[in-house]
Amino acid sequence: MFLRLLKNPLPILIITLLIVIPYIGYNLIYPPQNSQILSANTQSPSPNPTPSPIETPTPMPSPSPSPVPKLSKSSYQIAIFGDSMVDTMGENLEYLEASLKARYPTTNFKLYNYGIGGQNVAQGLARFDQPFSYQTRNFPPLPKLKPDILIVASFAYNPFPQHDRDRHWQTLTELVSRAKNTGSEVYILAEIAPLKTGFGKGPGGINWPEDMASTHALHIVEQLQNAVNLSKNLGIPLIDAFDKSKIYGNWGDSTLVSSHDGIHPSQEGHMFTADLIATTIKLR
């Protein structure tokens, strides 16, 4: 019989299908529990991500403007005494006026420019007690004016014909002593440093040979150093544009020097000096 079935397998195939088909249908309708757990484990939706907390920026305090110093007066007189380094500050010291107004907006200032170009310190001393008349400026003698603030410049840019550093020291000492006798609050001004290269060069410059220009510039540096050291020696407050304008040893910044003559302050140089004066002087 077995051999007969092998020769005709159709009955075996029919029996197999009758057993397998119901089994497959059952599993399609009722899937096994293990299959459901695997699906749950592998396809379970991930939880909604918790949003990161938004950091509230901490407000930075705005820088407070510098408080205006409380002054005892509503008006002040300020005079500057010197050579062309002062003369070129403007007939009415306009650069200084702008700097003072920025710092003391409600205060009135009467400014006096006692600068005359080309004078050395001995010539300045000789005219200190005299009435002043130069360009459009006509002022009384400084001992009569008695300004609140009197700034004595160094006269460093005009050495004596025969350079004499000691004579400059002694004469500047006498000039500062005369200034103190006026009763004014006295300051010494050391002007901006001279150029090492290009000193005196320009359409309106002296245009000396290089060795002569370098020697003259070195004499100026020595006399500016006199002014700095004299302020310490006498206990007189210093407005030190010299030190603050140096960029190459004892030599100055070309942006602060006029390209017209290579000597006097440029507009930037005058603003630099005016700001330094305004921030250094102490108004009572």
Side-chain angles (χ1 to χ4, degrees):
M1 181 179 178
F2 180 74
L3 293 174
R4 191 182 303 164
L5 289 175
L6 290 177
K7 291 179 181 180
N8 187 11
L10 181 59
I12 295 175
L13 177 60
I14 293 173
I15 294 171
T16 301
L17 290 175
L18 289 175
I19 296 172
V20 171
I21 289 174
Y23 177 80
I24 293 173
Y26 179 84
N27 280 278
L28 288 174
I29 297 172
Y30 304 104
Q33 287 294 316
N34 288 344
S35 174
Q36 289 181 350
I37 292 172
L38 179 62
S39 176
N41 289 340
T42 58
Q43 298 179 14
S44 59
S46 59
N48 292 329
T50 303
S52 301
I54 299 174
E55 295 185 6
T56 304
T58 303
M60 298 297 292
S62 301
S64 302
S66 299
V68 177
K70 186 175 181 180
L71 305 178
S72 61
K73 299 166 58 175
S74 61
S75 180
Y76 292 84
Q77 291 184 331
I78 300 175
I80 309 182
F81 187 85
D83 55 17
S84 61
M85 300 296 282
V86 173
D87 176 33
T88 56
M89 290 180 178
E91 288 293 288
N92 299 301
L93 296 176
E94 289 85 356
Y95 293 103
L96 179 57
E97 181 178 24
S99 294
L100 288 169
K101 277 297 185 182
R103 187 169 177 80
Y104 306 97
T106 62
T107 304
N108 295 318
F109 294 95
K110 180 63 176 176
L111 305 178
Y112 298 87
N113 185 334
Y114 278 80
I116 295 181
Q119 290 194 338
N120 59 45
V121 67
Q123 292 169 316
L125 178 62
R127 68 175 170 88
F128 183 82
D129 296 320
Q130 304 301 315
F132 181 85
S133 182
Y134 186 70
Q135 306 286 20
T136 63
R137 290 164 269 151
N138 294 281
F139 306 142
L142 278 165
K144 184 177 180 180
L145 180 67
K146 296 181 179 179
D148 298 291
I149 301 288
L150 176 51
I151 299 170
V152 178
S154 71
F155 287 86
Y157 273 74
N158 288 282
F160 296 112
Q162 295 296 321
H163 174 57
D164 189 334
R165 183 173 184 174
D166 291 339
R167 183 184 174 195
H168 174 265
W169 174 283
Q170 293 163 2
T171 311
L172 186 58
T173 300
E174 177 61 24
L175 179 58
V176 171
S177 178
R178 292 266 193 99
K180 289 176 65 177
N181 289 340
T182 64
S184 302
E185 192 90 19
V186 176
Y187 290 78
I188 294 176
L189 170 63
E191 298 91 337
I192 62 172
L195 296 177
K196 179 177 177 62
T197 302
F199 175 81
K201 302 293 184 183
I206 51 179
N207 295 301
W208 287 340
E210 193 65 35
D211 58 341
M212 184 182 296
S214 296
T215 298
H216 191 84
L218 181 59
H219 293 164
I220 291 171
V221 167
E222 290 178 352
Q223 297 194 156
L224 287 168
Q225 292 171 335
N226 272 358
V228 172
N229 293 327
L230 187 64
S231 74
K232 298 174 183 177
N233 189 60
L234 299 179
I236 302 294
L238 176 69
I239 302 166
D240 196 356
F242 172 53
D243 183 68
K244 290 179 171 56
S245 64
K246 294 187 295 186
I247 58 173
Y248 303 111
N250 287 318
W251 307 106
D253 183 348
S254 61
T255 63
L256 302 179
V257 179
S258 170
S259 60
H260 177 69
D261 60 24
I263 297 175
H264 297 99
S266 62
Q267 181 177 355
E268 291 81 1
H270 279 304
M271 293 171 62
F272 170 85
T273 301
D275 287 344
L276 187 59
I277 293 172
T279 55
T280 302
I281 61 175
K282 307 298 181 186
L283 300 179
R284 309 299 182 187

